[in-house]
Each structure stands twice: as C-alpha cells, then as structure tokens.
Amino acid sequence: MGAAGWHQDPRPLLRPAPDLDLAALDRGATPGWDAGKDAAEEYVVERGRLLSELQERLFADGRTGGRRAVLLVVQGLDTAGKGGIVRHVIGMVDPQGVALRAFGVPTAEERRHHYLWRVRRALPGPGLIGVFDRSHYEDVLVARVEGLVKEWVWSRRYAEINRFEREIVDGGTTVVKVALLVSRDEQGVRLMERLDRPDKRWKWNPGDVDTRAKWDAYQQAYADVFTHTSTDAAPWHVVPADKKWYARLAVTELLTQALVDLDLDWPRPSWRLETQKHRLAATMSAGALATAERKAAEKLPEVARAEAEFDEAVAAAADVGGDDGGGSGRPAGWA
Ligand code: AMP
Ligand code: MG
C-alpha cells in the first residue's frame, strides 16, 4: 500500500462492544483512518483491484467444486448509503460473480412463508459474493418498531437468526454484516436532498418521514440487534456513515479482508497439463502453434508479475492496521 492506510484494523475496531451506547456514537467519525477523504478514495481504488482479483479466484473455486461463498449483509435506515455501497464497493468486481438482493416489504407470496424463507432462497451459491441490501434483520427492526408482529414473536427471532447464520457459515459462507449508522441530522439533510433534487426525487417515499419520526425506537432496535446477534460466527460491524467515503472505505476493507481470509488460490486442474497441451497441439497448424507460443512468451512474464504483486498485496493486507502489533483495535466505542 501507499503511505496512507489504516492505523488500526477496522475489523475489531468496528465490532460492537457489549456496552455499546448508540446514542453516544459519533456518526461522523472515521475510526481507524486519519488520512482523510482523498487518501481514502485512492486506497479504495487500490483495494478494488485486489478485491476484484480475489473475487475472480473465489468464482473459479466455485466453478471447480469449491463450496465457499461470501455474504455481505448491509443494514441501515433510509439514506444510510446502502445503495452507494452496492454501487461503489460491489461495483468494483465482476457482476457475474455477484448475487445481489434488495429486501423490501414482503410480497403476498413471501408473507405466506416463514420470514427466513425468502432469505434462504437469496443466499449466494458457491463462488459468489452475495449482497443483501436490507435482510432478515428487518424482521427484528421494522417488524418490531412498526408492531407488525408481537413482542413474543420478534424477541425469539434473535436466537433463530443466530442459528440460521451459524448454519450458513458452517456451509462454507463467510458472513460479513455491516450496519451503516447515520446521524439524525444527516438523515434529515439527505432526505431533503431527495425532495430538492429532481434526479433523486424518485427515491422519496412519504413513509420515510414516519419512519424518521420513530428514530429512537429504531435506534433501540438496532442496539438490540447488536447485543443479540453479533456472534463469533457472524459478527456485526458498526460503521459510522455520515461520511460516505468512510463507509465505503470501511466496507471495502471488511469485504477484502473476508476474501483474503479464504486463502484463495487458483483451482488445481484435475487433468495433466502436458497431456492436454499435446492433445490440443495435435489439432493445430504449425502457424497457429507458433502464434500461441509467441503469445505465451510475451504474456507470461506479465502474468507472473501480476501474480507476485497479488501475493504481496494479500500478505500486506493480512497486517492491516500498521505495525503497532495488530489486533489492537478497541471495539466500537470508536473513541
Ligand atoms: P427501500 O430499501 O428504501 O427500497 O425500502 C424497502 C422497504 O421495505 C423499507 O421500508 C423496509 O423497512 C421494508 N421492509 C424490508 N423488509 C421488510 C420486512 N421483512 N417486513 C416489513 N417491511 C420490510
Ligand atoms: Mg427507501
């Protein structure tokens, strides 16, 4: 990486502490990052290259019998920047390897099923990065605050969600959960922008003001989500989101690290290279063979260089947060 970087590993830093006080959290903070916006944007571009290469390896793994996948769960109130994460972070990787699902008000068919039914169906298959824009957490957030179900119903869901996620993780999917937290003021500004700007007005929903009016209830519901469902198998990351560049930086890093942890390599072929080269060569003209050889000679050094750079970037990513011993992050808090 260049000079600017994380001074603390955002993974432990953004995990909700047991005594997390949401009311006291500075949503304009940039925990773990002091280098400012421009440096963050540069860093994201660089990370994007690594992320994209990692994603390609994950995809290849899935195509050759691997079972692994990654699921990014993005939660947040209106205007928290969920769509921006999809566009700016997920937009850096090959769409072919992405399974994106936005969860809205359940359809008539979805309502006939258990609330996890639609979620199970949207889980990423092997080799894919799944992205949930909202998720099963709405069933303990909006469902609770709006009183769509009784307390004895939603209060049992935390344990059920933990079991569900444990099952997903045991099946080979890394679950990365991020909650984007905007301040009430910033939400007001962003909502007003939706009304003011003709190019944003389509996002306006009159109900957004009613939801906003229940701010405290939503904060409480989020706090309980963090208390009850931040497990070792699938921990939460509480991301301050008043600065969009920070939220994108943080999610980019969390996702990249999740892929780095998979320790992905290109799949090992089940056939012998020499045998297959002979077979193919036997079908080619001398001219075409010479062309292929020339291309290989031209391209291979470049490929080797890129692979070496990739290996270096992966190794460097492993000790994000600098040389202060690592793992030194305090959980959120963010002080
Ligand atoms: P948006 O993400 O702005 O397109 O809006 C989606 C809407 O669907 C939000 O108002 C969510 O609260 C709502 N929604 C998502 N999941 C559920 C759910 N399980 N039950 C009720 N409403 C939901
Ligand atoms: Mg909306």
Side-chain angles (χ1 to χ4, degrees):
M1 289 278 92
W6 292 96
H7 60 81
Q8 280 190 66
D9 184 345
R11 282 175 298 175
L13 198 57
L14 297 176
R15 277 183 74 151
D19 59 347
L20 174 65
D21 177 7
L22 275 195
L25 278 190
D26 175 6
R27 287 130 198 256
T30 62
W33 187 272
D34 284 341
K37 178 180 179 180
D38 291 349
E41 285 173 349
E42 258 172 57
Y43 185 97
V44 165
V45 169
E46 217 172 298
R47 266 294 183 256
R49 274 195 287 273
L50 178 58
L51 182 61
S52 161
E53 288 186 34
L54 286 160
Q55 181 265 335
E56 207 178 330
R57 280 167 172 75
L58 177 63
F59 190 77
D61 184 70
R63 279 298 169 92
T64 51
R67 302 299 310 159
R68 291 176 297 179
V70 172
L71 174 62
L72 177 68
V73 174
V74 187
Q75 275 296 149
L77 294 176
D78 282 308
T79 76
K82 304 185 290 298
I85 293 293
V86 173
R87 231 172 10 261
H88 295 275
V89 179
I90 302 305
M92 295 191 293
V93 308
D94 183 351
Q96 165 173 231
V98 174
L100 170 67
R101 174 70 202 268
F103 289 98
V105 177
T107 62
E109 188 190 19
E110 287 168 352
R111 273 201 305 274
R112 281 198 294 275
H113 293 88
H114 186 270
Y115 70 98
L116 291 176
W117 178 76
R118 64 176 186 166
V119 181
R120 281 185 197 281
R121 288 161 55 99
L123 290 173
L128 297 183
I129 298 179
V131 182
F132 285 177
D133 173 344
R134 303 187 191 265
S135 65
H136 43 295
Y137 284 99
E138 292 295 327
D139 295 286
V140 286
L141 291 165
V142 66
R144 164 182 173 173
V145 174
E146 301 297 334
L148 306 180
V149 293
K150 297 221 161 57
E151 177 166 359
W152 69 267
V153 176
W154 58 254
S155 62
R156 289 179 181 192
R157 287 179 173 171
Y158 301 112
E160 189 173 39
I161 286 172
N162 288 342
R163 283 195 299 276
F164 172 62
E165 290 179 352
R166 172 91 241 175
E167 195 188 301
I168 296 170
V169 170
D170 288 346
T173 297
T174 302
V175 177
V176 180
K177 300 191 293 198
V178 298
L180 307 177
L181 296 196
V182 275
S183 65
R184 190 169 154 76
D185 274 349
E186 180 64 20
Q187 190 195 47
V189 170
R190 291 183 188 177
L191 282 173
M192 191 57 82
E193 195 182 13
R194 287 191 178 174
L195 289 173
D196 286 337
R197 284 178 53 165
D199 61 327
K200 299 242 179 180
R201 210 165 283 151
W202 62 274
K203 294 190 196 181
W204 176 258
N205 171 0
D208 292 350
V209 182
D210 305 299
T211 304
R212 178 170 162 79
K214 296 171 187 157
W215 183 267
D216 291 342
Y218 273 101
Q219 298 304 309
Q220 187 55 57
Y222 267 96
D224 287 345
V225 161
F226 301 142
T227 302
H228 297 306
T229 65
S230 197
T231 59
D232 286 333
W236 273 103
H237 300 91
V238 181
V239 179
D242 278 5
K243 293 191 171 75
K244 287 180 177 174
W245 63 261
Y246 177 79
R248 290 167 193 172
L249 170 74
V251 178
T252 299
E253 190 64 33
L254 295 170
L255 189 58
T256 304
Q257 294 292 346
L259 280 136
V260 165
D261 284 348
L262 294 181
D263 199 12
L264 293 156
D265 210 340
W266 294 118
R268 288 249 296 262
S270 57
W271 32 262
R272 279 199 53 222
L273 181 60
E274 283 312 309
T275 312
Q276 297 304 315
K277 284 190 76 161
H278 281 305
R279 285 185 64 219
L280 177 59
T283 69
M284 291 168 71
S285 71
L289 261 179
T291 304
E293 262 172 45
R294 183 172 44 74
K295 281 196 154 180
E298 272 170 25
K299 196 78 187 164
L300 281 178
E302 198 185 302
V303 172
R305 208 161 34 241
E307 293 282 307
E309 273 172 28
F310 171 82
D311 290 340
E312 245 172 68
V314 166
D319 41 60
V320 74
D323 41 23
D324 59 351
S328 56
R330 285 164 304 235
W334 304 327

